[in-house]
Amino acid sequence: MEMELLLLLTICLLMFSGKTFGNETGHDKIIIKEDEDVILPCSLKTIHEDDKSNFDWKMDDKDVLLYESGTVNPSTQHDQFRGRVSHFQNGEKSENASIKIIKTKVSDSGQYTCIDINQLPPEKLNQVVLTVEYILKDRTGEKTTGAYAEPSVRTVNENDDWALLRCKVLGASPKPIVVLYNSTGNKVSDKEPQIIQNGNHYDVILETTVTKTDNYTCVATQEELHHQSNDTTFVHFGEKDRAGEKTNGEGNGDTRWSGGITLGIIIGVVIGVLIGVPFGIVFIRWRRSNEVANKKIPVRRDDTTNSHSTPLQNGAQGDHYAQNNSSGL
């Protein structure tokens, strides 16, 4: 059980400060990856309660950090380390002369020496051999003997069911490896790239057909230059809605059917309005004219009396005419 705990503690220490090894001469060996931070350990023989310790770190013939009377003296620091190296204080006592280097570079690899300048003559306390290993990353802008690959990916043709993507890398040297991935990191390239060589420089064109809505990333890698760069494009499938945006690509057939039905309803409503409104107006007018024609007009009483008395008056006049005729005879 104790051995297991000791092994676990050793692993944790290695994870914290890179791979550290010791040898018979007292040199520490640390191996880390580029852009990682590292702590180079050193302890002074004299403890200074008031933090007036003095020590100096050198890498080969370069000044890494000069610490005097509790402060960093930047006047002698090499430009390579400026702004990236600090005194790693761990505790109240000032016997700790460790330093921390952030965002390490491959050029930081070398032999580092911790010197106690409180001693006369100055005494070398510790030596650390640091190895910083390359990683694949975008090195565009860095100096190189070749030409870094800079990929670009675009959609060159598409419909509702598929899209043709084209990834281009122009003038790269040495020849890059070009691959297209989806958002989950799976390779989706279904064709071999077209490669055009012009001397030591290469043009690479990779075309791939995709059928799913997703982010697609074209990655160009040059192992010899420890360079890797990428470009991403988004592809969306589906019918366009009224606002001009695309709907979900699933169920395109149902979307087309529903769109046709909606259009048919709209056309039917328009035709109904055009025919129904004039017909309704004619019907209303016809109904009103019938109501006026069938409406009964009330009759006055005096009109009724006169109409009945007229025959009597005519009869009386006839009798009077007859009497006159008889008297003349």
Side-chain angles (χ1 to χ4, degrees), residues 22 25 43 45 52 64 133 158 175 201 207 209 247-248 250 255 285 316:
T25 61
S43 296
K45 290 183 177 181
K52 298 298 182 181
V64 179
E133 297 178 338
E158 66 178 329
K175 181 175 66 177
H201 293 76
E207 291 188 345
T209 301
T247 60
N248 193 329
E250 297 179 358
T255 304
R285 289 180 176 177

Side-chain angles (χ1 to χ4, degrees), residues 213-269:
T213 297
D214 203 353
N215 284 306
Y216 293 93
T217 301
C218 180
V219 180
T221 305
Q222 294 167 300
E223 293 280 356
E224 301 89 338
L225 303 180
H226 312 287
H227 170 73
Q228 188 174 79
S229 182
N230 65 76
D231 187 35
T232 301
T233 188
F234 178 71
V235 179
H236 189 96
F237 294 99
E239 296 288 335
K240 289 186 177 180
D241 60 17
R242 294 181 182 178
E245 300 292 335
K246 289 185 176 181
T247 60
N248 193 329
E250 297 179 358
N252 288 333
D254 295 340
T255 304
R256 287 190 290 268
W257 274 106
S258 60
I261 294 173
T262 302
L263 181 61
I265 293 174
I266 293 174
I267 294 174
V269 170

Side-chain angles (χ1 to χ4, degrees), residues 101-116:
I101 306 175
I102 63 173
K103 292 189 69 66
T104 56
K105 305 175 182 180
V106 174
S107 58
D108 293 337
S109 299
Q111 181 171 296
Y112 291 76
T113 303
C114 176
I115 304 171
D116 186 353

